[in-house]
Amino acid sequence: MTCFVPFNNRNLDISFFVFRPTVVLVDELVEAIKHFSLCTESLGCVHSAIFKSIHGNMIVWYGAWIKRTNENKELLSAGLLSMLTNVSSMAILTEHSFFDAYAGESKDGSPAAKFSTGDIVSLNTAFLDPYDMKETSISYACLALFKAYFLKMEGTASGVCFKGRLGILGLLVWKSLHSCYSWILSTDYRKILLPYFDHCSPDLKYDIFRVVYVSGDNVINFQLCPPPQMLENGVESKGG
């Protein structure tokens, strides 16, 4: 199966949930998040995926949703958090937010970034000080950086720029892990990044992930979804 990430926010809302495992057997956590992902389909999630950090202990869940109002996004967020009871016993949810995709490009001309289980993605984040927000200038800096380097980066398949409430996120899909390493090892990464952010001081982070699940993959059948009563009285009853 293939997961799609839009290059703009016209038709879909995008969310990312970041987990830090607290269990030794991380595969059990991944299976629990797979079932959480299945449950979100009834709430309007049309594409989802799970990224597992290759060198760290971070798990990221990506969800693309049918477009909705800001009020309904807040209701949806509250409903999703209530659905993570089983997952919370295996991991700490460190970040969760909706993001707007505002730029993207692919080497093959596709109108969206796409990847499947087993593929490699990298995530770049620039978290902002909530008391000194410069979202517009930061997003322009990330766009300039993306436009300046994407076509020169050998081994990339596609990339997307996102902006959210507290920061900016960039997602790159790589043709192989070797391609990703080659770019990192041959490039002074911070020397490239920092000049674009000399007007502010964001908290810059970078990580490489393997895609371990996309919606449509087979999942072991066990009950993890919340009771239908909660969904009927919560998110679903508010519409999308």
Side-chain angles (χ1 to χ4, degrees):
M1 302 299 292
T2 302
C3 187
F4 294 88
V5 184
F7 290 161
N8 57 61
N9 69 339
R10 284 196 294 267
N11 299 316
L12 295 174
D13 291 320
I14 303 300
S15 63
F16 288 93
F17 281 60
V18 181
F19 300 91
R20 180 162 57 83
T22 57
V23 292
V24 176
L25 300 177
V26 178
D27 286 348
E28 292 184 3
L29 169 62
V30 171
E31 286 299 322
I33 299 176
K34 287 180 184 179
H35 280 270
F36 164 75
S37 196
L38 285 176
C39 296
T40 64
E41 293 177 9
S42 64
L43 303 180
C45 187
V46 294
H47 294 292
S48 61
I50 301 172
F51 309 148
K52 182 179 179 183
S53 175
I54 290 177
H55 300 288
N57 65 343
M58 189 184 301
I59 305 288
V60 176
W61 181 79
Y62 158 81
W65 303 83
I66 295 172
K67 198 75 179 171
R68 62 196 67 212
T69 65
N70 287 335
E71 179 184 3
N72 278 338
K73 277 194 280 192
E74 294 198 6
L75 290 169
L76 175 61
S77 291
L80 293 174
L81 291 175
S82 70
M83 293 165 61
L84 287 169
T85 304
N86 289 29
V87 175
S88 65
S89 65
M90 293 181 276
I92 297 171
L93 179 64
T94 61
E95 302 284 346
H96 68 93
S97 184
F98 276 90
F99 286 82
D100 291 329
Y102 67 96
E105 199 165 339
S106 61
K107 296 283 180 70
D108 64 0
S110 299
K114 53 187 178 181
F115 50 80
S116 303
T117 298
D119 286 347
I120 301 299
V121 301
S122 60
L123 295 177
N124 305 268
T125 57
F127 291 105
L128 308 178
D129 184 341
Y131 299 102
D132 187 25
M133 293 292 286
K134 298 183 179 69
E135 180 186 299
T136 300
S137 60
I138 286 282
S139 61
Y140 278 125
C142 289
L143 178 58
L145 183 65
F146 178 74
K147 292 294 186 181
Y149 286 96
F150 176 71
L151 291 178
K152 302 176 185 177
M153 299 171 72
E154 293 197 10
T156 53
S158 54
V160 190
C161 298
F162 302 91
K163 57 184 177 180
R165 184 172 55 89
L166 293 179
I168 306 299
L169 187 149
L171 181 149
L172 288 172
V173 181
W174 295 86
K175 296 178 181 178
S176 68
L177 183 59
H178 175 75
S179 298
C180 184
Y181 285 153
S182 295
W183 167 256
I184 294 171
L185 294 174
S186 64
T187 308
D188 189 340
Y189 194 72
R190 295 194 71 82
K191 187 176 181 180
I192 288 176
L193 284 177
L194 294 179
Y196 286 82
F197 301 103
D198 57 2
H199 56 291
C200 57
S201 301
D203 179 15
L204 301 175
K205 295 183 179 179
Y206 177 85
D207 206 346
I208 306 170
F209 298 83
R210 188 179 302 279
V211 181
V212 295
Y213 169 82
V214 299
S215 47
D217 287 352
N218 291 329
V219 178
I220 300 171
N221 184 27
F222 71 89
Q223 179 66 32
L224 186 69
C225 295
Q229 183 72 26
M230 188 206 78
L231 296 180
E232 290 168 4
N233 294 335
V235 178
E236 282 191 334
S237 64
K238 301 296 182 180

